[in-house]
Protein backbone atom coordinates (compact mmCIF):
# COMPACT_ATOMS: atom_id res chain seq x y z
CA UNK A 1 0.00 0.00 0.00
CA UNK A 2 1.42 3.43 -0.88
CA UNK A 3 2.17 5.98 1.78
CA UNK A 4 -0.77 8.10 0.56
CA UNK A 5 -3.75 6.95 -1.47
CA UNK A 6 -5.35 9.70 -3.53
CA UNK A 7 -8.55 9.30 -5.55
CA UNK A 8 -8.07 7.14 -8.61
CA UNK A 9 -8.57 8.44 -12.14
CA UNK A 10 -8.78 12.04 -13.26
CA UNK A 11 -8.31 14.58 -10.48
CA UNK A 12 -11.67 16.33 -10.78
CA UNK A 13 -13.48 18.80 -8.56
CA UNK A 14 -15.72 15.95 -7.42
CA UNK A 15 -12.80 13.80 -6.23
CA UNK A 16 -11.19 16.77 -4.50
CA UNK A 17 -14.52 17.57 -2.87
CA UNK A 18 -14.92 14.00 -1.61
CA UNK A 19 -11.39 14.11 -0.21
CA UNK A 20 -12.07 17.45 1.48
CA UNK A 21 -15.31 16.07 2.95
CA UNK A 22 -13.43 13.04 4.30
CA UNK A 23 -10.79 15.29 5.90
CA UNK A 24 -13.46 17.53 7.41
CA UNK A 25 -15.29 14.59 9.03
CA UNK A 26 -12.03 13.21 10.42
CA UNK A 27 -11.09 16.63 11.79
CA UNK A 28 -14.47 17.06 13.48
CA UNK A 29 -14.36 13.56 14.99
CA UNK A 30 -10.81 13.98 16.32
CA UNK A 31 -11.50 17.47 17.69
CA UNK A 32 -14.64 16.32 19.52
CA UNK A 33 -12.60 13.61 21.28
CA UNK A 34 -9.27 15.36 21.90
CA UNK A 35 -10.17 18.96 22.82
CA UNK A 36 -12.48 18.20 25.81
CA UNK A 37 -10.04 15.52 27.01
CA UNK A 38 -7.16 18.01 26.80
CA UNK A 39 -8.98 20.64 28.81
CA UNK A 40 -10.01 17.99 31.35
CA UNK A 41 -6.30 17.30 31.93
CA UNK A 42 -4.87 20.80 31.83
CA UNK A 43 -6.10 24.33 31.38
CA UNK A 44 -3.01 25.32 29.38
CA UNK A 45 -4.13 26.20 25.86
CA UNK A 46 -0.71 25.31 24.43
CA UNK A 47 -0.95 21.71 25.69
CA UNK A 48 -4.46 21.31 24.27
CA UNK A 49 -3.28 22.83 20.98
CA UNK A 50 -0.43 20.31 20.84
CA UNK A 51 -2.80 17.40 21.38
CA UNK A 52 -5.40 18.64 18.90
CA UNK A 53 -2.76 19.52 16.30
CA UNK A 54 -1.03 16.14 16.44
CA UNK A 55 -4.38 14.32 16.43
CA UNK A 56 -5.63 16.24 13.39
CA UNK A 57 -2.37 15.75 11.50
CA UNK A 58 -2.26 12.00 12.14
CA UNK A 59 -5.98 11.51 11.52
CA UNK A 60 -6.21 13.48 8.27
CA UNK A 61 -2.90 12.13 6.92
CA UNK A 62 -3.83 8.51 7.59
CA UNK A 63 -7.40 9.04 6.40
CA UNK A 64 -6.05 10.15 3.02
CA UNK A 65 -3.65 7.21 3.04
CA UNK A 66 -6.33 4.58 3.74
CA UNK A 67 -8.84 5.90 1.18
CA UNK A 68 -12.54 6.64 1.30
CA UNK A 69 -13.80 3.31 2.63
CA UNK A 70 -11.50 2.75 5.61
CA UNK A 71 -10.07 6.25 5.96
CA UNK A 72 -12.82 7.73 8.11
CA UNK A 73 -12.77 5.17 10.92
CA UNK A 74 -8.99 4.71 10.76
CA UNK A 75 -8.29 8.43 10.71
CA UNK A 76 -10.58 9.18 13.64
CA UNK A 77 -9.24 6.22 15.64
CA UNK A 78 -5.51 6.84 15.21
CA UNK A 79 -5.87 10.63 15.26
CA UNK A 80 -7.84 10.50 18.51
CA UNK A 81 -5.42 8.08 20.19
CA UNK A 82 -2.36 10.09 19.13
CA UNK A 83 -4.01 13.36 20.15
CA UNK A 84 -5.07 11.99 23.55
CA UNK A 85 -1.59 10.64 24.27
CA UNK A 86 0.03 13.93 23.21
CA UNK A 87 -2.35 16.00 25.35
CA UNK A 88 -1.84 13.66 28.30
CA UNK A 89 1.95 13.81 28.07
CA UNK A 90 1.92 17.59 27.51
CA UNK A 91 -0.29 18.07 30.56
CA UNK A 92 1.70 15.75 32.83
CA UNK A 93 5.26 16.66 31.82
CA UNK A 94 6.30 20.07 33.17
CA UNK A 95 7.59 22.93 31.02
CA UNK A 96 8.17 22.17 27.32
CA UNK A 97 8.77 18.43 27.48
CA UNK A 98 9.07 18.02 23.70
CA UNK A 99 11.92 15.52 23.95
CA UNK A 100 9.75 13.36 26.23
CA UNK A 101 6.57 13.63 24.14
CA UNK A 102 7.65 13.19 20.51
CA UNK A 103 9.48 9.78 20.58
CA UNK A 104 6.67 7.70 22.17
CA UNK A 105 3.94 9.41 20.13
CA UNK A 106 5.70 8.76 16.79
CA UNK A 107 6.43 5.14 17.79
CA UNK A 108 2.83 4.66 18.88
CA UNK A 109 1.50 6.02 15.57
CA UNK A 110 3.83 3.77 13.54
CA UNK A 111 2.75 0.77 15.62
CA UNK A 112 -0.93 1.57 15.08
CA UNK A 113 -0.44 1.93 11.33
CA UNK A 114 1.52 -1.32 11.10
CA UNK A 115 -1.14 -3.16 13.09
CA UNK A 116 -3.95 -1.91 10.84
CA UNK A 117 -2.06 -2.28 7.55
CA UNK A 118 1.14 -4.35 8.05
CA UNK A 119 3.95 -2.68 6.17
CA UNK A 120 7.23 -2.99 8.09
CA UNK A 121 7.51 -6.69 7.28
CA UNK A 122 8.27 -5.65 3.72
CA UNK A 123 11.63 -4.34 4.86
CA UNK A 124 13.41 -1.34 6.28
CA UNK A 125 12.52 0.81 3.29
CA UNK A 126 8.82 0.70 4.09
CA UNK A 127 9.58 1.18 7.79
CA UNK A 128 11.56 4.33 6.92
CA UNK A 129 8.68 5.65 4.79
CA UNK A 130 6.13 5.02 7.53
CA UNK A 131 8.29 6.54 10.27
CA UNK A 132 9.12 9.58 8.16
CA UNK A 133 5.45 10.09 7.31
CA UNK A 134 4.41 9.90 10.97
CA UNK A 135 7.25 12.22 12.02
CA UNK A 136 6.32 14.83 9.40
CA UNK A 137 2.63 14.62 10.33
CA UNK A 138 3.38 15.04 14.04
CA UNK A 139 5.75 17.92 13.30
CA UNK A 140 3.07 19.68 11.25
CA UNK A 141 0.57 19.09 14.04
CA UNK A 142 2.93 20.57 16.63
CA UNK A 143 3.70 23.67 14.55
CA UNK A 144 0.83 25.76 15.98
CA UNK A 145 1.85 24.97 19.56
CA UNK A 146 5.64 24.69 19.39
CA UNK A 147 6.61 26.28 16.09
CA UNK A 148 9.63 25.06 14.12
CA UNK A 149 11.05 23.47 17.28
CA UNK A 150 8.27 20.86 17.24
CA UNK A 151 8.86 20.03 13.57
CA UNK A 152 12.62 19.62 14.06
CA UNK A 153 12.13 17.43 17.13
CA UNK A 154 9.70 15.20 15.23
CA UNK A 155 12.06 14.78 12.27
CA UNK A 156 14.94 13.88 14.59
CA UNK A 157 13.21 10.82 16.02
CA UNK A 158 12.30 9.17 12.72
CA UNK A 159 15.62 7.23 12.23
CA UNK A 160 15.41 5.47 15.64
CA UNK A 161 11.71 4.78 15.13
CA UNK A 162 12.36 3.33 11.68
CA UNK A 163 15.12 1.16 13.15
CA UNK A 164 12.73 -0.17 15.81
CA UNK A 165 9.90 -0.84 13.33
CA UNK A 166 12.16 -2.42 10.72
CA UNK A 167 13.93 -4.60 13.27
CA UNK A 168 10.59 -5.83 14.55
CA UNK A 169 9.57 -6.76 11.01
CA UNK A 170 12.82 -8.64 10.43
CA UNK A 171 12.49 -10.56 13.69
CA UNK A 172 8.84 -11.49 13.08
CA UNK A 173 9.57 -12.57 9.51
CA UNK A 174 12.59 -14.57 10.78
CA UNK A 175 14.87 -12.95 8.29
CA UNK A 176 18.54 -12.30 8.71
CA UNK A 177 18.94 -9.32 11.00
CA UNK A 178 20.91 -6.86 8.91
CA UNK A 179 19.74 -3.26 9.37
CA UNK A 180 20.94 -0.65 6.86
CA UNK A 181 24.17 1.08 7.79
CA UNK A 182 22.74 4.53 7.05
CA UNK A 183 19.81 3.89 9.39
CA UNK A 184 22.17 2.82 12.19
CA UNK A 185 24.42 5.84 11.62
CA UNK A 186 21.40 8.16 11.54
CA UNK A 187 20.07 6.74 14.81
CA UNK A 188 23.48 7.05 16.47
CA UNK A 189 23.81 10.64 15.25
CA UNK A 190 20.40 11.49 16.72
CA UNK A 191 21.20 9.82 20.04
CA UNK A 192 24.57 11.60 20.34
CA UNK A 193 23.01 14.95 19.48
CA UNK A 194 20.28 14.40 22.06
CA UNK A 195 22.86 13.50 24.72
CA UNK A 196 24.40 16.95 24.30
CA UNK A 197 21.03 18.69 24.16
CA UNK A 198 19.73 17.01 27.33
CA UNK A 199 23.03 17.63 29.14
CA UNK A 200 22.84 21.32 28.23
CA UNK A 201 19.25 21.49 29.51
CA UNK A 202 20.30 20.08 32.89
CA UNK A 203 23.25 22.44 33.01
CA UNK A 204 21.06 25.43 32.25
CA UNK A 205 18.95 24.80 35.36
CA UNK A 206 22.15 25.02 37.41
CA UNK A 207 21.15 22.30 39.85
CA UNK A 208 23.35 19.34 40.65
CA UNK A 209 22.41 16.22 38.69
CA UNK A 210 21.50 13.34 40.99
CA UNK A 211 20.25 9.78 40.66
CA UNK A 212 18.66 8.50 43.88
CA UNK A 213 20.39 11.34 45.77
CA UNK A 214 23.76 10.23 44.39
CA UNK A 215 25.69 12.90 42.43
CA UNK A 216 25.96 12.10 38.72
CA UNK A 217 27.36 13.87 35.69
CA UNK A 218 25.08 15.59 33.20
CA UNK A 219 26.28 13.21 30.48
CA UNK A 220 25.19 10.22 32.59
CA UNK A 221 21.72 11.71 33.08
CA UNK A 222 21.49 12.40 29.34
CA UNK A 223 22.59 8.87 28.47
CA UNK A 224 19.92 7.41 30.76
CA UNK A 225 17.38 9.64 29.04
CA UNK A 226 18.41 8.23 25.65
CA UNK A 227 18.14 4.64 26.88
CA UNK A 228 14.75 5.13 28.53
CA UNK A 229 12.90 7.70 26.41
CA UNK A 230 14.49 7.04 23.01
CA UNK A 231 14.82 3.24 23.10
CA UNK A 232 12.84 1.51 25.87
CA UNK A 233 9.70 3.67 25.84
CA UNK A 234 9.40 3.86 22.00
CA UNK A 235 9.81 0.08 21.76
CA UNK A 236 7.07 -0.38 24.35
CA UNK A 237 4.70 2.11 22.72
CA UNK A 238 5.33 0.65 19.26
CA UNK A 239 4.52 -2.88 20.43
CA UNK A 240 1.51 -1.67 22.44
CA UNK A 241 0.17 0.35 19.51
CA UNK A 242 0.61 -2.54 17.10
CA UNK A 243 -1.06 -5.02 19.46
CA UNK A 244 -3.97 -2.63 20.03
CA UNK A 245 -4.41 -2.09 16.28
CA UNK A 246 -4.34 -5.83 15.55
CA UNK A 247 -6.98 -6.38 18.24
CA UNK A 248 -9.23 -3.57 17.04
CA UNK A 249 -8.93 -4.28 13.31
CA UNK A 250 -11.89 -6.73 13.11
CA UNK A 251 -13.91 -4.35 15.29
CA UNK A 252 -13.26 -1.58 12.77
CA UNK A 253 -14.59 -3.85 10.05
CA UNK A 254 -17.81 -4.29 12.03
CA UNK A 255 -17.97 -0.52 12.55
CA UNK A 256 -17.72 0.06 8.79
CA UNK A 257 -20.63 -2.32 8.29
CA UNK A 258 -22.53 -0.45 11.00
CA UNK A 259 -22.09 2.83 9.13
CA UNK A 260 -23.68 1.22 6.07
CA UNK A 261 -26.68 0.18 8.15
CA UNK A 262 -26.96 3.63 9.73
CA UNK A 263 -26.87 5.24 6.30
CA UNK A 264 -29.83 3.09 5.23
CA UNK A 265 -31.70 3.78 8.48
CA UNK A 266 -31.25 7.55 8.26
CA UNK A 267 -34.56 8.20 6.44
CA UNK A 268 -36.85 6.09 8.71
CA UNK A 269 -35.09 7.41 11.81
CA UNK A 270 -35.71 10.95 10.59
CA UNK A 271 -39.37 10.15 9.96
CA UNK A 272 -39.73 8.72 13.46
CA UNK A 273 -38.07 11.80 14.98
CA UNK A 274 -40.38 14.18 13.10
CA UNK A 275 -43.47 12.34 14.33
CA UNK A 276 -42.12 12.17 17.89
CA UNK A 277 -41.31 15.89 17.94
CA UNK A 278 -44.75 16.64 16.53
CA UNK A 279 -46.37 14.80 19.46
CA UNK A 280 -44.14 16.65 21.94
CA UNK A 281 -44.99 20.09 20.54
CA UNK A 282 -48.70 19.23 20.17
CA UNK A 283 -49.09 18.08 23.77
CA UNK A 284 -46.97 20.98 25.03
CA UNK A 285 -49.70 23.21 23.64
CA UNK A 286 -52.40 21.09 25.27
CA UNK A 287 -50.62 21.22 28.65
CA UNK A 288 -50.09 24.96 28.41
CA UNK A 289 -53.74 25.60 27.44
CA UNK A 290 -55.01 23.43 30.29
CA UNK A 291 -52.72 25.23 32.73
CA UNK A 292 -54.06 28.61 31.57
CA UNK A 293 -57.75 27.74 32.04
CA UNK A 294 -57.39 25.49 35.10
CA UNK A 295 -55.04 26.95 37.69
CA UNK A 296 -55.09 23.82 39.86
CA UNK A 297 -54.39 21.34 37.00
CA UNK A 298 -50.61 21.47 37.59
CA UNK A 299 -48.46 22.36 40.58
CA UNK A 300 -44.77 23.03 40.97
CA UNK A 301 -42.30 25.80 40.27
CA UNK A 302 -42.72 25.64 36.49
CA UNK A 303 -46.52 25.32 36.42
CA UNK A 304 -47.00 28.99 35.56
CA UNK A 305 -44.03 29.26 33.20
CA UNK A 306 -43.89 29.73 29.43
CA UNK A 307 -43.83 27.40 26.46
CA UNK A 308 -40.24 26.27 27.04
CA UNK A 309 -41.16 24.61 30.33
CA UNK A 310 -44.24 23.00 28.79
CA UNK A 311 -42.11 21.58 25.95
CA UNK A 312 -39.65 20.22 28.52
CA UNK A 313 -42.52 18.68 30.49
CA UNK A 314 -43.96 17.16 27.31
CA UNK A 315 -40.56 15.76 26.32
CA UNK A 316 -40.00 14.03 29.67
CA UNK A 317 -43.58 12.77 29.69
CA UNK A 318 -43.09 11.14 26.28
CA UNK A 319 -40.11 9.31 27.79
CA UNK A 320 -42.23 8.24 30.80
CA UNK A 321 -40.00 10.30 33.08
CA UNK A 322 -41.06 12.74 35.79
CA UNK A 323 -40.38 16.44 35.32
CA UNK A 324 -39.75 17.79 38.81
CA UNK A 325 -40.79 21.41 38.13
CA UNK A 326 -44.30 20.55 36.90
CA UNK A 327 -46.57 17.94 38.50
CA UNK A 328 -50.07 17.04 37.16
CA UNK A 329 -52.70 17.23 39.92
CA UNK A 330 -56.22 17.35 38.50
CA UNK A 331 -58.02 14.45 36.84
CA UNK A 332 -58.00 16.18 33.46
CA UNK A 333 -54.22 16.78 33.66
CA UNK A 334 -53.53 13.16 34.56
CA UNK A 335 -55.82 11.96 31.75
CA UNK A 336 -53.97 14.18 29.30
CA UNK A 337 -50.61 12.77 30.46
CA UNK A 338 -51.97 9.22 30.14
CA UNK A 339 -53.16 9.89 26.59
CA UNK A 340 -49.79 11.37 25.72
CA UNK A 341 -48.01 8.27 27.02
CA UNK A 342 -50.32 5.92 25.09
CA UNK A 343 -49.79 7.80 21.83
CA UNK A 344 -46.02 8.00 22.34
CA UNK A 345 -45.70 4.28 23.02
CA UNK A 346 -48.08 3.44 20.17
CA UNK A 347 -46.13 5.67 17.78
CA UNK A 348 -42.91 3.93 18.73
CA UNK A 349 -44.38 0.45 18.18
CA UNK A 350 -46.04 1.29 14.88
CA UNK A 351 -43.00 3.04 13.44
CA UNK A 352 -40.72 0.24 14.66
CA UNK A 353 -42.79 -2.35 12.80
CA UNK A 354 -42.90 -0.19 9.66
CA UNK A 355 -39.15 0.50 9.82
CA UNK A 356 -38.31 -3.20 10.16
CA UNK A 357 -40.40 -4.11 7.12
CA UNK A 358 -38.74 -1.26 5.18
CA UNK A 359 -35.21 -2.06 6.28
CA UNK A 360 -35.11 -5.84 6.10
CA UNK A 361 -34.53 -6.16 2.32
CA UNK A 362 -31.92 -3.39 2.37
CA UNK A 363 -30.10 -4.93 5.35
CA UNK A 364 -30.01 -8.27 3.55
CA UNK A 365 -28.58 -6.54 0.48
CA UNK A 366 -25.82 -4.92 2.55
CA UNK A 367 -25.04 -8.25 4.23
CA UNK A 368 -24.71 -10.00 0.85
CA UNK A 369 -22.45 -7.25 -0.43
CA UNK A 370 -20.20 -7.39 2.64
CA UNK A 371 -20.01 -11.17 2.34
CA UNK A 372 -19.01 -10.86 -1.33
CA UNK A 373 -16.33 -8.29 -0.49
CA UNK A 374 -14.99 -10.47 2.32
CA UNK A 375 -14.73 -13.50 0.02
CA UNK A 376 -12.93 -11.55 -2.71
CA UNK A 377 -9.15 -11.94 -2.27
CA UNK A 378 -8.51 -8.77 -4.17
CA UNK A 379 -10.38 -6.73 -1.58
CA UNK A 380 -8.08 -7.61 1.32
Amino acid sequence: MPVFELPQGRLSFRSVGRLAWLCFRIAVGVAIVVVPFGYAITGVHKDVLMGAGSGLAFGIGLGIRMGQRAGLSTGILIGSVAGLITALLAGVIPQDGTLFIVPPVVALAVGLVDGISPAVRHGYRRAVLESLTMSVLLGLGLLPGLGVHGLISSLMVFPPTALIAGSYGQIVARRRYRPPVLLILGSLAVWIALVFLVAQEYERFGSEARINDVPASYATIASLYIIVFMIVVPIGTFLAGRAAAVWIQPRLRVYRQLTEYLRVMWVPIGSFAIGYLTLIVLFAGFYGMLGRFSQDAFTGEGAASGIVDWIAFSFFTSLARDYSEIVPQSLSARALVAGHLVLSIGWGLVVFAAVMSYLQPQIERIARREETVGDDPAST
Side-chain angles (χ1 to χ4, degrees):
M1 180 180 291
V3 176
F4 287 101
E5 182 179 324
L6 295 174
Q8 301 293 326
R10 188 175 60 181
L11 193 62
S12 60
F13 285 106
R14 183 178 180 181
S15 61
V16 173
R18 290 176 61 188
L19 192 63
W21 176 237
L22 173 66
C23 296
F24 174 77
R25 288 184 292 168
I26 293 174
V28 171
V30 172
I32 290 175
V33 175
V34 175
V35 173
F37 185 87
Y39 279 112
I41 295 174
T42 174
V44 180
H45 300 301
K46 179 181 176 182
D47 296 341
V48 178
L49 189 61
M50 289 172 59
S54 62
L56 291 176
F58 279 131
I60 293 174
L62 291 172
I64 296 174
R65 178 189 186 275
M66 300 299 292
Q68 291 288 335
R69 181 170 175 80
L72 180 62
S73 56
T74 303
I76 293 177
L77 170 68
I78 294 185
S80 298
V81 172
L84 293 177
I85 296 297
T86 304
L88 179 62
L89 293 176
V92 172
I93 296 174
Q95 297 180 356
D96 191 346
T98 307
L99 296 178
F100 298 91
I101 296 172
V102 172
V105 172
V106 173
L108 177 68
V110 174
L112 289 170
V113 171
D114 184 54
I116 291 177
S117 178
V120 297
R121 295 187 187 184
H122 296 286
Y124 282 97
R125 182 174 178 272
R126 182 59 62 85
V128 169
L129 288 175
E130 296 288 3
S131 302
L132 180 60
T133 302
M134 296 300 104
S135 299
V136 171
L137 289 175
L138 179 61
L140 294 175
L142 294 179
L143 273 177
L146 298 178
V148 182
H149 176 57
L151 179 60
I152 295 175
S153 301
S154 300
L155 292 176
M156 286 182 66
V157 303
F158 105 81
T161 306
L163 183 62
I164 293 170
S167 300
Y168 172 83
Q170 296 291 303
I171 293 172
V172 171
R174 297 184 179 180
R175 297 174 183 172
R176 185 178 177 182
Y177 183 69
R178 191 168 55 186
V181 177
L182 289 179
L183 195 58
I184 295 176
L185 293 177
S187 300
L188 289 175
V190 170
W191 290 334
I192 293 172
L194 288 177
V195 166
F196 285 104
L197 287 175
V198 175
Q200 287 178 357
E201 286 293 321
Y202 274 97
E203 247 183 304
R204 190 177 65 179
F205 287 116
S207 58
E208 185 182 5
R210 289 178 172 271
I211 302 177
N212 294 330
D213 294 331
V214 178
S217 65
Y218 297 116
T220 303
I221 297 292
S223 301
L224 287 175
Y225 160 80
I226 297 300
I227 294 174
V228 174
F229 290 98
M230 289 295 295
I231 299 177
V232 176
V233 173
I235 289 175
T237 53
F238 171 80
L239 295 176
R242 192 183 189 284
V246 170
W247 180 83
I248 207 171
Q249 178 69 3
R251 282 80 184 173
L252 282 178
R253 201 173 295 118
V254 173
Y255 175 75
R256 288 196 294 269
Q257 295 178 9
L258 179 61
T259 58
E260 294 290 335
Y261 294 131
L262 291 176
R263 194 174 292 117
V264 172
M265 294 175 64
W266 179 249
V267 173
I269 288 176
S271 301
F272 172 77
I274 291 174
Y276 214 72
L277 290 175
T278 301
L279 285 175
I280 291 174
V281 174
L282 179 64
F283 274 87
F286 291 158
Y287 294 136
M289 183 178 64
L290 181 61
R292 293 284 185 184
F293 289 100
S294 178
Q295 299 295 327
D296 60 346
F298 299 93
T299 59
E301 297 179 0
S305 299
I307 188 62
V308 174
D309 287 302
W310 291 119
I311 290 177
F313 174 71
S314 179
F315 174 77
F316 282 97
T317 301
S318 64
L319 298 177
R321 302 289 297 179
D322 293 332
Y323 187 65
S324 59
E325 295 185 3
I326 300 176
V327 180
Q329 290 293 330
S330 67
L331 180 62
S332 57
R334 293 179 179 179
L336 191 59
V337 169
H340 187 185
L341 282 172
V342 170
L343 287 178
S344 297
I345 296 173
W347 175 257
L349 293 175
V350 170
V351 173
F352 177 78
V355 166
M356 289 307 298
S357 62
Y358 169 81
L359 290 178
Q360 187 170 358
Q362 302 193 50
I363 290 175
E364 291 176 353
R365 176 177 54 83
I366 294 174
R368 287 194 299 268
R369 185 177 62 189
E370 292 292 338
E371 184 178 354
T372 303
V373 173
D375 293 338
D376 185 7
S379 65
T380 58

